[in-house]
Amino acid sequence: MQINGKSREEISDAITTSLLYYRTKAGIDQFISGMNSIAGNLWDRVTDNPKTWKPVFVDYEMSMTMAQFDELYRFRFSEEGSNKRLEEDETAYCFEIFLQNCADNHISGQGHTLADILIFITGADAIPVLGFGKDIEVTFFDKEEGVRRYPVVSTCSLTMAIPRSWSDPDTFTTYMDEAITEGNGFFKV
């Protein structure tokens, strides 16, 4: 049997159709059937309003806002009225100024962004569709004279410990920028 140009094209089309359509059709049909069995034809709703459902099914870049980031974390402060609490309040203020600067950096295109902070603390480059299992917890530790310690982050437990006693937002911003730049383990191969 001799194969001519038209036969090659037909064979190529048949192989492509087989691999891309028939091979996956059963799985796709099962997925659609399962989706439609949830909440009364969920898949039909998805296909009727694809733009609404895009964030659920497609990973796409969306800039994070300060309001969104504020919902992600909480501070664990020392007892109200203690000296440590006063230092923590100052440090928390510096941290919030730093976050606001990061939110502004997204607009200006300079410096770290809120997404960079999220990666640094959680390892995730975006807020998961269903959110994190818990709030990011920001705790504090004592600074040691003459020792420069960066924040301690646990991406598994969603915690970040920062030294208390920061009172200058600009110095704190420089400190955090260095920590994020030096601790970029999720960017390394």
Side-chain angles (χ1 to χ4, degrees):
M1 175 178 158
Q2 190 163 0
I3 299 175
N4 60 29
K6 185 174 183 181
S7 298
R8 284 189 183 139
E9 193 174 305
E10 289 172 354
I11 292 171
S12 174
D13 287 348
I15 291 172
T16 301
T17 302
S18 176
L19 289 175
L20 296 179
Y21 181 74
Y22 294 118
R23 185 176 183 189
T24 59
K25 185 172 182 345
I28 291 170
D29 288 346
Q30 186 178 9
F31 174 77
I32 291 170
S33 174
M35 290 291 289
N36 277 334
S37 70
I38 300 171
N41 296 327
L42 180 60
W43 185 250
D44 293 338
R45 292 179 189 179
V46 170
T47 55
D48 289 344
N49 303 297
K51 288 182 182 177
T52 304
W53 290 90
K54 184 177 180 179
V56 176
F57 292 100
V58 179
D59 182 24
Y60 69 101
E61 185 148 339
M62 183 174 83
S63 61
M64 191 178 319
T65 66
M66 187 65 194
Q68 288 173 313
F69 201 92
D70 277 343
E71 295 293 318
L72 297 177
Y73 72 95
R74 65 180 169 80
F75 292 105
R76 191 172 75 197
F77 291 110
S78 297
E79 188 176 329
E80 187 78 40
S82 67
N83 289 338
K84 285 186 177 185
R85 177 60 184 263
L86 294 173
E87 294 173 341
E88 291 167 359
D89 285 339
E90 288 181 343
T91 302
Y93 170 75
C94 290
F95 182 70
E96 289 175 346
I97 294 296
F98 171 69
L99 290 177
Q100 187 57 57
N101 290 340
C102 290
D104 295 342
N105 288 344
H106 176 75
I107 296 165
S108 71
Q110 298 176 358
H112 290 103
T113 64
L114 291 175
D116 296 331
I117 308 308
L118 189 67
I119 292 169
F120 179 69
I121 298 172
T122 68
D125 60 354
I127 301 170
V129 173
L130 298 177
F132 292 105
K134 66 181 207 97
D135 288 342
I136 296 167
E137 189 171 273
V138 180
T139 62
F140 303 91
F141 62 86
D142 290 321
K143 275 184 171 181
E144 296 176 43
E145 273 312 307
V147 178
R148 185 168 177 100
R149 290 185 50 205
Y150 288 120
V152 177
V153 175
S154 172
T155 58
C156 296
S157 65
L158 298 177
T159 58
M160 179 173 76
I162 53 179
R164 60 178 66 85
S165 300
W166 289 97
S167 58
D168 177 38
D170 293 333
T171 307
F172 183 82
T173 294
T174 301
Y175 162 79
M176 286 299 293
D177 282 339
E178 287 175 8
I180 293 165
T181 302
E182 296 298 320
N184 62 359
F186 285 94
F187 297 111
K188 295 180 180 175
V189 176

